[in-house]
Amino acid sequence: MLSISEHPSKEPQLKRPKSPDPLNSFNSLLQLIHHPRTCLLFAILALQVMLLFTLRSLPFSRQHFSPPNSPKPEPLLVPDSEDRCGSGRVFVYDLPKTLNQEILQNCDDLNPWSSRCKALANEGLGQQATGIAGVVPENLAPAWYWTDQFVSEVIFHNRILNHKCRVMEPESATAFYIPFYAGLAVGKYLWSNSSTAQDRDRHCEMMLRWVQDQPYYKRSEGWDHFITMGRITWDFRRSNDQDWGSRCIYLPGMRNITRLLIERNPWDYFDVGVPYPTGFHPRSDSDVAEWQSFVRTRNRTKLFCFAGAKRGAIKNDFRGLLLSHCQSESESCRVVDCAGTKCSNGTSAILETFLDSDFCLQPRGDSFTRRSIFDCMVAGSIPVFFWKRTAYIQYEWFLPGEPESYSVYIDRNAVTNGTSIKNVLQGFSREEVEKMRGKVIDYIPKFLYAKPQDGLESVKDAFDIALEGVMRRFKEHGEWGFRWK
């Protein structure tokens, strides 16, 4: 830690005026008191004081002294732009197109199996959802998309370009956004047998060389810069060339940049966990309110549910255990077996399952988190966690501070040793279930990414919460007065 200190500038030495002679001052005061005009002034002041005390003692209220139609004084208003951007203003770097736009244009070539163009359509929201008639309210169906879980960097970029507090002059900014599509860039090489470590690092290295050459990065060493990386943090933390992912986060110049990721490293201050994108993208405040009312009054026929697939290659696979447990409790649990492509983007089976269940089981995914957490809560279902790292130390800006207020935690070892999930969940009273569900539903706006590029009218969504959190963090940096290089 290095303390930030500014060398105080030397103040000019001002000459003090000579003190007046005390005797001369006293004589002057006597002359002033005995002057006729001074005596008249004292008399007028005394009369005014007597009149004031007399009026205050009269038995009528003050408003009788004002003309009946006199206008009330106008309140002092803060200019609207100042009020809306009180937390700070953001400047968006105009990166070389090879680091964002050209990546989108080459969407056919972003993974080795199929085109990603449909997933990246509609400014990152994906294809309009189909096959959901009767699952969601008819007038809300246009707000649903088959959104991919790895598109947050595209969504954030489009939103921030239209944000009310975006500035075009870097000198007036308090935060600097780097619109690099890190996740899309590396995704092309993650499963390719022919890709090299250099392939996986190339785009990030290009970005850092460009950014480090900017004067505002040099000024702060990156402390007031931030970026969205649309995959989990572990995809950018390669230690050895033979290992998975890129080493983007470990590259020189990246250390002090705040990173918004769908899964963070809990021990890295600069990693911030943001919600996975879900399929619901409200168009207005009323869309949000209507959806909350819909899920609050939904008739749920199952106690709990599980959507997932076994991992045959993993010894003692916990997801396989949950799948078997749920299948054996078919009267209380609804299962969606995601073997094959059944749960890929473009199906309403999972949404309908969550809507019909009080609780949804949320083990870790391929990493500690999974998108299903947010799909579950958007549907008003109460998540059941088996790893605390799945949510509790991931999304502090977006989830309630009291885990028990919106979720249930069951130690995975207890389940492995025979604890019945059904019995645990049946132990909650109806009132307790409704209270937890109410908390989940209250927080739904914080899990959503709105469709309008300039945001909703008054409801703050996940993007708004993230940007405010970044601005708050940068303000704290200045108040704390420290940084490291």
Side-chain angles (χ1 to χ4, degrees):
M1 298 279 182
L2 297 177
S3 173
I4 295 180
S5 61
E6 298 292 340
H7 294 290
S9 57
K10 294 183 179 180
E11 296 183 1
Q13 297 296 318
L14 300 178
K15 293 183 179 180
R16 291 177 175 268
K18 293 182 179 180
S19 301
D21 181 71
L23 182 60
N24 290 336
S25 299
F26 180 72
N27 291 333
S28 299
L29 180 61
L30 289 177
Q31 292 177 6
L32 179 62
I33 292 174
H34 289 89
H35 195 281
R37 290 183 180 178
T38 305
C39 294
L40 178 61
L41 177 60
F42 282 153
I44 293 173
L45 289 175
L47 181 62
Q48 288 180 337
V49 170
M50 291 174 62
L51 180 61
L52 176 62
F53 279 99
T54 302
L55 292 176
R56 286 171 62 92
S57 65
L58 294 178
F60 42 73
S61 59
R62 294 184 183 181
Q63 60 262 32
H64 291 129
F65 289 100
S66 300
N69 296 320
S70 62
K72 294 182 179 180
E74 292 292 332
L76 183 62
L77 297 178
V78 178
D80 186 52
S81 59
E82 293 292 333
D83 184 54
R84 292 184 303 168
C85 302
S87 58
R89 290 172 171 76
V90 60
F91 178 78
V92 182
Y93 279 122
D94 185 15
L95 290 182
K97 291 181 173 55
T98 53
L99 298 174
N100 44 48
Q101 292 185 31
E102 289 184 9
I103 293 174
L104 289 183
Q105 293 167 2
N106 295 322
C107 55
D108 279 323
D109 193 33
L110 290 182
N111 74 36
W113 305 295
S114 61
S115 171
R116 297 268 285 145
C117 295
K118 288 184 178 180
L120 296 170
N122 292 314
E123 298 177 315
L125 303 186
Q127 294 281 289
Q128 190 83 42
T130 56
I132 59 172
V135 179
V136 304
E138 183 178 357
N139 63 315
L140 291 181
W144 282 86
Y145 294 77
W146 300 133
T147 303
D148 189 86
Q149 63 180 333
F150 298 130
V151 293
S152 59
E153 52 207 16
V154 182
I155 293 174
F156 269 79
H157 187 193
N158 287 323
R159 283 288 299 278
I160 209 164
L161 286 176
N162 295 277
H163 198 267
K164 61 183 178 291
C165 297
R166 179 195 176 193
V167 293
M168 307 305 292
E169 308 81 19
E171 59 270 17
S172 60
T174 49
F176 296 81
Y177 183 65
I178 306 169
F180 168 45
Y181 296 167
L184 294 179
V186 75
K188 175 179 178 179
Y189 303 104
L190 289 177
W191 292 274
S192 173
N193 294 328
S194 61
S195 69
T196 65
Q198 289 71 31
D199 291 332
R200 287 171 274 159
D201 296 340
R202 182 178 301 113
H203 285 85
C204 191
E205 289 174 343
M206 290 171 56
M207 179 274 293
L208 285 171
R209 283 196 298 270
W210 189 91
V211 169
Q212 286 180 290
D213 198 38
Q214 305 307 306
Y216 290 92
Y217 178 93
K218 293 179 179 178
R219 181 187 67 179
S220 69
E221 296 290 335
W223 273 82
D224 52 7
H225 286 54
F226 69 110
I227 187 173
T228 306
M229 305 178 80
R231 302 187 67 91
I232 65 174
T233 190
W234 315 108
D235 290 341
F236 307 102
R237 292 179 177 272
R238 191 189 73 244
S239 298
N240 301 305
D241 284 355
Q242 296 75 27
D243 293 340
W244 171 269
S246 82
R247 61 187 185 101
C248 186
I249 288 177
Y250 293 146
L251 289 174
M254 195 69 176
R255 178 175 183 177
N256 299 332
I257 297 174
T258 293
R259 306 174 287 268
L260 306 178
L261 303 122
I262 51 178
E263 178 175 327
R264 65 183 287 252
N265 175 358
W267 297 279
D268 189 331
Y269 168 79
F270 294 94
D271 274 11
V272 175
V274 298
Y276 281 76
T278 68
F280 183 41
H281 304 282
R283 303 155 296 178
S284 63
D285 288 8
S286 60
D287 275 4
V288 177
E290 184 174 351
W291 179 256
Q292 287 176 303
S293 177
F294 171 69
V295 297
R296 197 183 304 273
T297 57
R298 176 80 173 189
N299 180 30
R300 300 176 188 265
T301 58
K302 295 292 184 179
L303 176 64
F304 64 111
C305 66
F306 175 64
K310 295 179 180 179
R311 291 292 189 267
I314 300 177
K315 185 178 180 181
N316 299 321
D317 173 37
F318 189 74
R319 288 206 279 190
L321 176 64
L322 292 184
L323 193 65
S324 299
H325 185 92
C326 202
Q327 288 170 335
S328 68
E329 299 285 1
S330 57
E331 291 186 2
S332 301
C333 186
R334 181 168 174 174
V335 176
V336 180
D337 188 346
C338 291
T341 60
K342 187 175 181 180
C343 297
S344 61
N345 296 327
T347 177
S348 60
I350 295 177
L351 173 60
E352 192 169 9
T353 298
F354 290 153
L355 285 170
D356 286 344
S357 306
D358 281 331
F359 298 92
C360 55
L361 307 185
Q362 295 298 333
R364 59 172 292 172
D366 295 324
S367 60
F368 280 101
T369 65
R370 61 199 301 242
R371 167 179 161 159
S372 180
I373 301 166
F374 296 99
D375 289 332
C376 155
M377 290 192 289
V378 166
S381 191
I382 302 163
V384 180
F385 297 122
F386 305 90
W387 278 263
K388 292 186 177 179
R389 282 180 63 180
T390 299
Y392 299 154
I393 55 176
Q394 282 292 335
Y395 309 105
E396 291 98 329
W397 293 356
F398 306 89
L399 294 175
E402 305 77 27
E404 66 281 357
S405 69
Y406 74 97
S407 67
V408 175
Y409 176 76
I410 304 175
D411 188 275
R412 59 193 175 280
N413 295 317
V415 177
T416 301
N417 292 330
T419 294
S420 169
I421 296 173
K422 175 184 174 181
N423 290 344
V424 172
L425 299 181
Q426 283 182 331
F428 292 96
S429 68
R430 198 70 240 162
E431 292 75 18
E432 289 172 319
V433 171
E434 292 305 322
K435 187 175 181 180
M436 282 189 283
R437 188 191 329 286
K439 179 67 76 171
V440 169
I441 293 172
D442 288 344
Y443 271 70
I444 283 178
K446 296 186 177 186
F447 313 147
L448 305 175
Y449 294 95
K451 186 178 189 301
Q453 295 300 352
D454 55 353
L456 302 175
E457 301 96 275
S458 60
V459 174
K460 294 180 180 180
D461 69 349
F463 170 85
D464 295 318
I465 301 298
L467 186 59
E468 287 183 1
V470 168
M471 293 294 192
R472 183 172 61 250
R473 168 177 284 211
F474 290 169
K475 182 180 179 181
E476 290 170 352
H477 290 172
E479 293 174 346
W480 294 343
F482 69 82
R483 68 174 62 141
W484 56 77
K485 295 184 179 181

Coordinates of all heavy atoms in Angstrom, one line a residue, residues 338-383:
C338 N -31.4 -32.4 -17.7 CA -30.8 -31.6 -18.7 C -29.7 -32.3 -19.6 O -28.9 -31.7 -20.2 CB -30.2 -30.3 -18.2 SG -31.4 -29.1 -17.5
A339 N -29.8 -33.7 -19.6 CA -28.9 -34.4 -20.4 C -29.1 -34.1 -21.8 O -30.2 -33.8 -22.3 CB -29.2 -35.9 -20.2
G340 N -28.0 -34.0 -22.6 CA -28.1 -33.6 -24.0 C -28.3 -32.1 -24.1 O -27.6 -31.3 -23.4
T341 N -29.2 -31.7 -24.9 CA -29.4 -30.2 -25.2 C -30.8 -29.7 -24.7 O -31.2 -28.7 -25.0 CB -29.3 -29.9 -26.7 OG1 -30.4 -30.7 -27.4 CG2 -28.0 -30.3 -27.2
K342 N -31.4 -30.5 -23.8 CA -32.8 -30.2 -23.4 C -32.9 -28.8 -22.7 O -33.9 -28.2 -22.7 CB -33.3 -31.3 -22.5 CG -34.8 -31.1 -22.1 CD -35.3 -32.3 -21.3 CE -36.8 -32.1 -20.9 NZ -37.3 -33.3 -20.2
C343 N -31.8 -28.4 -22.0 CA -31.9 -27.2 -21.2 C -31.1 -26.0 -21.9 O -30.8 -25.0 -21.3 CB -31.3 -27.4 -19.8 SG -32.3 -28.6 -18.9
S344 N -30.7 -26.2 -23.2 CA -30.0 -25.1 -23.8 C -31.0 -24.0 -24.1 O -32.2 -24.1 -24.0 CB -29.5 -25.6 -25.2 OG -30.5 -26.1 -26.0
N345 N -30.4 -22.8 -24.4 CA -31.3 -21.7 -24.7 C -32.3 -22.0 -25.7 O -32.0 -22.5 -26.8 CB -30.4 -20.5 -25.1 CG -29.4 -20.0 -24.1 OD1 -29.7 -20.1 -22.9 ND2 -28.3 -19.6 -24.5
G346 N -33.6 -21.6 -25.4 CA -34.6 -21.9 -26.4 C -35.7 -22.8 -25.9 O -36.4 -23.5 -26.7
T347 N -35.8 -23.0 -24.6 CA -36.9 -23.9 -24.1 C -37.5 -23.3 -22.9 O -36.9 -22.6 -22.1 CB -36.3 -25.3 -23.7 OG1 -37.3 -26.1 -23.1 CG2 -35.1 -25.2 -22.7
S348 N -38.8 -23.5 -22.7 CA -39.5 -23.0 -21.5 C -39.7 -24.0 -20.4 O -40.3 -23.7 -19.4 CB -40.9 -22.5 -22.0 OG -41.7 -23.7 -22.5
A349 N -39.1 -25.2 -20.5 CA -39.3 -26.2 -19.5 C -38.7 -25.8 -18.2 O -39.4 -26.1 -17.1 CB -38.6 -27.5 -20.0
I350 N -37.6 -25.2 -18.1 CA -37.0 -24.8 -16.8 C -37.8 -23.7 -16.2 O -38.1 -23.7 -15.0 CB -35.5 -24.3 -17.0 CG1 -34.7 -25.5 -17.5 CG2 -35.0 -23.8 -15.7 CD1 -33.2 -25.2 -17.7
L351 N -38.2 -22.6 -17.0 CA -39.0 -21.5 -16.5 C -40.3 -22.1 -15.8 O -40.6 -21.7 -14.7 CB -39.3 -20.5 -17.6 CG -40.2 -19.4 -17.2 CD1 -39.7 -18.6 -16.1 CD2 -40.5 -18.5 -18.5
E352 N -41.0 -22.9 -16.5 CA -42.2 -23.4 -16.0 C -42.0 -24.3 -14.7 O -42.8 -24.2 -13.8 CB -42.9 -24.3 -17.1 CG -44.3 -24.7 -16.8 CD -45.0 -25.3 -18.0 OE1 -44.4 -25.6 -19.0 OE2 -46.3 -25.5 -17.9
T353 N -40.9 -25.0 -14.7 CA -40.6 -25.8 -13.5 C -40.4 -24.9 -12.3 O -40.9 -25.1 -11.2 CB -39.4 -26.7 -13.7 OG1 -39.7 -27.6 -14.8 CG2 -39.0 -27.4 -12.5
F354 N -39.6 -23.8 -12.5 CA -39.4 -22.9 -11.4 C -40.6 -22.2 -10.9 O -40.9 -21.9 -9.7 CB -38.3 -21.9 -11.8 CG -36.9 -22.4 -11.9 CD1 -36.0 -21.9 -12.8 CD2 -36.5 -23.5 -11.2 CE1 -34.7 -22.4 -12.9 CE2 -35.2 -24.1 -11.3 CZ -34.3 -23.5 -12.2
L355 N -41.5 -21.8 -11.9 CA -42.7 -21.2 -11.6 C -43.7 -22.0 -10.7 O -44.5 -21.5 -10.0 CB -43.4 -20.7 -12.8 CG -42.9 -19.5 -13.6 CD1 -43.5 -19.4 -14.9 CD2 -43.0 -18.2 -12.8
D356 N -43.5 -23.4 -10.9 CA -44.4 -24.3 -10.2 C -43.9 -24.8 -8.9 O -44.6 -25.6 -8.2 CB -44.7 -25.5 -11.1 CG -45.6 -25.1 -12.3 OD1 -46.3 -24.1 -12.2 OD2 -45.7 -25.9 -13.3
S357 N -42.7 -24.3 -8.4 CA -42.1 -24.9 -7.2 C -41.8 -23.8 -6.2 O -41.4 -22.7 -6.5 CB -40.8 -25.6 -7.6 OG -41.0 -26.5 -8.7
D358 N -42.0 -24.2 -4.9 CA -41.6 -23.3 -3.8 C -40.1 -23.1 -3.7 O -39.7 -22.0 -3.5 CB -42.1 -23.8 -2.5 CG -43.6 -23.6 -2.3 OD1 -44.2 -22.6 -2.8 OD2 -44.3 -24.4 -1.6
F359 N -39.4 -24.2 -3.9 CA -37.9 -24.2 -3.7 C -37.3 -24.7 -5.0 O -37.8 -25.6 -5.6 CB -37.5 -25.0 -2.5 CG -38.0 -24.5 -1.2 CD1 -39.1 -25.0 -0.6 CD2 -37.3 -23.5 -0.5 CE1 -39.6 -24.5 0.6 CE2 -37.7 -23.1 0.8 CZ -38.9 -23.6 1.3
C360 N -36.0 -24.3 -5.3 CA -35.3 -24.8 -6.4 C -33.9 -25.2 -5.9 O -33.2 -24.3 -5.2 CB -35.2 -23.9 -7.5 SG -34.6 -22.2 -7.2
L361 N -33.4 -26.4 -6.2 CA -32.1 -26.8 -5.7 C -31.0 -26.2 -6.6 O -31.1 -26.3 -7.8 CB -32.0 -28.4 -5.7 CG -33.2 -29.1 -5.0 CD1 -32.9 -30.6 -5.0 CD2 -33.3 -28.6 -3.5
Q362 N -30.0 -25.6 -5.9 CA -29.0 -24.9 -6.7 C -27.6 -25.4 -6.2 O -26.9 -24.7 -5.4 CB -29.1 -23.4 -6.5 CG -30.3 -22.8 -7.1 CD -30.4 -23.0 -8.6 OE1 -29.4 -23.1 -9.3 NE2 -31.6 -23.1 -9.2
P363 N -27.1 -26.6 -6.7 CA -25.7 -27.0 -6.4 C -24.8 -26.1 -7.2 O -25.2 -25.3 -8.0 CB -25.7 -28.4 -6.9 CG -26.7 -28.4 -8.0 CD -27.8 -27.5 -7.6
R364 N -23.5 -26.3 -7.1 CA -22.5 -25.6 -7.9 C -22.7 -26.2 -9.3 O -23.1 -27.3 -9.5 CB -21.1 -25.7 -7.4 CG -20.6 -27.2 -7.3 CD -19.2 -27.2 -6.9 NE -18.3 -26.7 -8.0 CZ -17.0 -26.5 -7.9 NH1 -16.4 -26.7 -6.8 NH2 -16.3 -26.1 -9.0
G365 N -22.3 -25.4 -10.3 CA -22.3 -25.8 -11.7 C -20.9 -26.3 -12.1 O -20.3 -27.0 -11.3
D366 N -20.5 -26.0 -13.3 CA -19.1 -26.4 -13.7 C -18.1 -25.6 -12.8 O -17.0 -26.0 -12.7 CB -18.9 -26.1 -15.2 CG -19.8 -27.0 -16.1 OD1 -20.0 -28.1 -15.7 OD2 -20.3 -26.5 -17.1
S367 N -18.6 -24.5 -12.3 CA -17.8 -23.7 -11.3 C -18.7 -23.5 -10.1 O -19.7 -24.2 -10.0 CB -17.3 -22.4 -11.9 OG -18.5 -21.6 -12.3
F368 N -18.4 -22.6 -9.2 CA -19.2 -22.5 -8.0 C -20.6 -21.9 -8.3 O -21.5 -22.1 -7.5 CB -18.4 -21.6 -7.0 CG -17.4 -22.4 -6.2 CD1 -16.0 -22.3 -6.6 CD2 -17.7 -23.3 -5.2 CE1 -15.1 -23.0 -5.9 CE2 -16.8 -24.0 -4.5 CZ -15.4 -23.9 -4.8
T369 N -20.7 -21.1 -9.3 CA -22.0 -20.5 -9.6 C -22.6 -21.1 -10.8 O -22.0 -21.9 -11.5 CB -21.8 -19.0 -9.9 OG1 -21.0 -18.8 -11.1 CG2 -21.1 -18.3 -8.7
R370 N -23.9 -20.8 -11.1 CA -24.6 -21.2 -12.3 C -25.7 -20.2 -12.6 O -26.3 -19.6 -11.7 CB -25.1 -22.6 -12.1 CG -26.1 -22.8 -11.0 CD -26.3 -24.3 -10.6 NE -26.7 -25.2 -11.7 CZ -27.8 -25.9 -11.6 NH1 -28.7 -25.7 -10.6 NH2 -28.1 -26.7 -12.6
R371 N -26.0 -20.1 -13.8 CA -27.1 -19.1 -14.2 C -28.4 -19.5 -13.6 O -29.2 -18.6 -13.3 CB -27.2 -19.1 -15.8 CG -28.4 -18.4 -16.2 CD -28.5 -18.4 -17.7 NE -29.9 -18.2 -18.2 CZ -30.2 -17.7 -19.3 NH1 -29.3 -17.5 -20.2 NH2 -31.5 -17.6 -19.7
S372 N -28.6 -20.8 -13.4 CA -29.9 -21.3 -12.9 C -30.3 -20.6 -11.6 O -31.5 -20.5 -11.3 CB -29.8 -22.8 -12.6 OG -31.0 -23.3 -12.1
I373 N -29.3 -20.1 -10.8 CA -29.7 -19.3 -9.6 C -30.6 -18.2 -9.9 O -31.6 -18.0 -9.2 CB -28.4 -18.8 -8.9 CG1 -27.4 -19.9 -8.6 CG2 -28.7 -17.9 -7.7 CD1 -26.0 -19.3 -8.3
F374 N -30.3 -17.4 -10.9 CA -31.1 -16.2 -11.2 C -32.3 -16.6 -12.0 O -33.4 -15.9 -11.8 CB -30.2 -15.2 -12.0 CG -29.1 -14.7 -11.1 CD1 -27.8 -15.3 -11.3 CD2 -29.3 -13.8 -10.2 CE1 -26.7 -14.8 -10.5 CE2 -28.2 -13.3 -9.4 CZ -27.0 -13.8 -9.5
D375 N -32.3 -17.6 -12.9 CA -33.5 -18.1 -13.5 C -34.5 -18.5 -12.4 O -35.7 -18.2 -12.6 CB -33.2 -19.3 -14.4 CG -32.4 -18.9 -15.6 OD1 -32.6 -17.8 -16.1 OD2 -31.7 -19.8 -16.2
C376 N -34.1 -19.2 -11.4 CA -34.9 -19.6 -10.3 C -35.5 -18.4 -9.6 O -36.8 -18.4 -9.4 CB -34.0 -20.5 -9.4 SG -34.6 -20.5 -7.6
M377 N -34.7 -17.5 -9.2 CA -35.2 -16.3 -8.4 C -36.1 -15.4 -9.2 O -37.1 -14.8 -8.7 CB -34.1 -15.6 -7.7 CG -33.4 -16.4 -6.6 SD -32.3 -15.4 -5.6 CE -30.9 -15.2 -6.8
V378 N -35.8 -15.2 -10.5 CA -36.7 -14.4 -11.3 C -38.1 -15.0 -11.4 O -39.1 -14.3 -11.5 CB -36.1 -14.3 -12.8 CG1 -37.1 -13.7 -13.7 CG2 -34.9 -13.3 -12.7
A379 N -38.2 -16.4 -11.3 CA -39.5 -17.1 -11.3 C -40.1 -17.1 -9.9 O -41.2 -17.7 -9.7 CB -39.3 -18.5 -11.8
G380 N -39.5 -16.4 -8.9 CA -40.1 -16.3 -7.6 C -39.9 -17.6 -6.8 O -40.6 -17.8 -5.8
S381 N -39.0 -18.5 -7.2 CA -38.7 -19.7 -6.4 C -37.6 -19.4 -5.5 O -36.7 -18.6 -5.7 CB -38.4 -20.8 -7.4 OG -38.3 -22.1 -6.7
I382 N -37.6 -20.1 -4.3 CA -36.6 -19.8 -3.3 C -35.4 -20.8 -3.5 O -35.5 -22.0 -3.5 CB -37.2 -20.1 -1.9 CG1 -38.4 -19.2 -1.7 CG2 -36.2 -19.9 -0.8 CD1 -39.3 -19.7 -0.5
P383 N -34.2 -20.2 -3.6 CA -33.0 -21.1 -3.9 C -32.5 -21.8 -2.7 O -32.6 -21.3 -1.5 CB -31.9 -20.1 -4.4 CG -32.3 -18.8 -3.7 CD -33.8 -18.8 -3.6

